[in-house]
Amino acid sequence: MADEPLVLGIETSCDETGVGLVRGTTLLADVIASSVDEHARYGGVVPEIASRAHLEAMVPTIERALADAKVAAADLDAVAVTAGPGLAGALLVGVSAAKAYAYALGKPLYGVNHLASHICVDQLEHGPLPQPTMALLVSGGHSSLLLAPDITRDVRPLGATIDDAAGEAFDKVARVLGLGFPGGPAIDRLAREGDPAAVRFPRGLTGPRDAPFDFSFSGLKTAVARWVETRRAAGETVPVADVAASFQEAVTDVLTRKAIKACKAEGVDHLMIGGGVAANSRLRAMAEERCADAGIVLRVPRPGLCTDNGAMVAALGAEMVARGRTPSALALPADSSLPVTEPHIPGEDHHHTHHHAGHHH
Ligand code: KG4
Ligand code: ZN
């Protein structure tokens, strides 16, 4: 609808320069420039390389998104940008660009949370999120179960990883198996040729006395590394596809089991899964099966919207505008450790300060 807010979203928290355009909950454009190939030989994202790549890609990526959506910058209702969490230098490039566009166009600026964006993006595919939303957020840096009564201002963590994030575990196990970086997509592909029951790897924090909604993947990662090293030391060939499939099975088993348990505990009849690891084909299939058995409606965006992109930032920005949330100040900082409980960084409320002139806040 033409009266819904038209929002530009900019994402630069890691190695993808993402720019999205959204009108309300409708996706108009989603353009991504990735520096992933430049990091591959280092085995991980190099912050300085990512920042430089964002700087070079920023303006052309914004221009392509506007052209794809066939809208003019002057028609925007707001500019949204990932303010955190993420790599400080990489975030700064996006935040600076967003400020420049917002200031030049005279439009409100919204510094939003990367993690809340990973959840809100599902509105572009499956319509408005239910309230509350139960979300399993699984990315390279975070693994959490979140209950969000309102994605624009009320996100409550039920549990999180106590060590490695799910994506981090995929990346580390991929390195052990010699599959390169990033490891998630490589393990996903290889696991299709393997037997998920070949090795029974440990399921962390699933004992009766363990925290029901927290995760631990570091023991699993170590178990995989030990298993592989033992075979190699004995001169045996490592059945790489079987190990990949068995590792992936352990991760997805724990993630889906705890997510469904959280839905039942909170009386929520649906589950949203977001973040890069939600692109995993086995996680998607297992969640589909187990949610169906439990009578829970599953919402997972298509894989391209699970990994980092600008559309998710625009989606949350549009929701902020639609719900009348206070924009950010032009002095908006990049906050590399922005907590998941803060969906955006509001500026000083102008009406409020006006009526209370002279008071300090
Ligand atoms: O959300 P994301 O793109 O960036 C962060 O915010 O961290 O997530 C990146 C993570 C990486 O660890 C990557 O290996 C993992 O998501 N990932 C996958 C798949 N695609 C990306 N993990 C498992 N299976 C996949 N298909
Ligand atoms: Zn992400």
Side-chain angles (χ1 to χ4, degrees), residues 114 118 139 276 308 312:
H114 181 83
H118 266 307
S139 70
D308 290 349
M312 66 191 214

Side-chain angles (χ1 to χ4, degrees), residues 49-345:
I49 293 177
S51 303
R52 167 57 66 96
H54 287 311
L55 208 51
E56 285 168 358
M58 185 55 65
V59 173
T61 309
I62 291 175
E63 282 174 357
R64 238 198 79 199
L66 289 166
D68 281 5
K70 298 186 178 62
V71 299
D75 296 333
L76 293 173
D77 292 304
V79 177
V81 62
T82 301
L87 302 171
L91 288 168
L92 266 178
V93 178
V95 167
S96 304
K99 285 179 183 177
Y101 276 86
Y103 181 72
L105 298 166
K107 307 293 180 183
L109 170 73
Y110 287 85
V112 303
N113 190 306
H114 181 83
L115 307 173
S117 301
H118 266 307
I119 298 171
C120 198
V121 70
D122 195 50
Q123 297 205 135
L124 304 179
E125 202 138 82
H126 300 114
L129 285 168
Q131 291 188 289
T133 288
M134 178 67 76
L136 170 65
L137 179 90
V138 274
S139 70
H142 296 263
S143 300
S144 315
L145 273 165
L146 304 166
L147 185 65
D150 178 343
I151 195 62
T152 65
R153 63 173 172 193
D154 189 2
V155 178
R156 303 171 191 178
L158 300 180
T161 183
I162 60 164
D163 39 55
D164 294 352
E168 201 178 347
F170 270 93
D171 294 335
K172 287 176 177 171
V173 165
R175 191 183 303 197
V176 166
L177 296 177
L179 300 176
F181 172 86
I187 289 186
D188 193 346
R189 259 191 315 274
L190 189 63
R192 278 169 216 171
E193 295 147 33
D195 174 8
V199 190
R200 172 82 194 178
F201 287 122
R203 269 68 169 161
L205 289 186
T206 50
R209 290 201 191 123
D210 292 325
F213 306 131
D214 281 340
F215 302 103
S216 168
F217 296 113
S218 132
L220 168 61
K221 168 197 69 188
T222 308
V224 174
R226 283 232 184 87
W227 196 92
V228 170
E229 276 157 26
T230 307
R231 295 301 173 295
R232 279 187 188 142
E236 296 170 27
T237 48
V238 176
V240 183
D242 285 348
V243 175
S246 300
F247 157 76
Q248 180 175 269
E249 197 71 6
V251 174
T252 53
D253 178 25
V254 175
L255 289 175
T256 53
R257 226 195 291 172
K258 295 205 172 202
I260 288 169
K261 198 190 273 185
C263 288
K264 288 184 175 159
E266 296 290 333
V268 175
D269 66 357
H270 71 277
L271 172 68
M272 189 276 154
I273 309 184
V277 180
N280 183 266
S281 62
R282 181 60 184 138
L283 176 60
R284 300 170 76 93
M286 192 188 278
E288 190 77 60
E289 211 172 283
R290 292 184 174 180
C291 282
D293 287 348
I296 290 167
V297 179
L298 179 66
R299 294 175 59 128
V300 197
R302 66 182 144 85
L305 290 179
C306 290
T307 45
D308 290 349
N309 63 84
M312 66 191 214
V313 180
L316 183 54
E319 195 60 29
M320 293 287 171
V321 175
R323 292 183 180 265
R325 300 290 170 251
T326 307
S328 302
L330 268 183
L332 170 73
D335 184 349
S336 60
S337 54
L338 184 66
V340 69
T341 48
E342 289 175 36
H344 90 299
I345 302 180

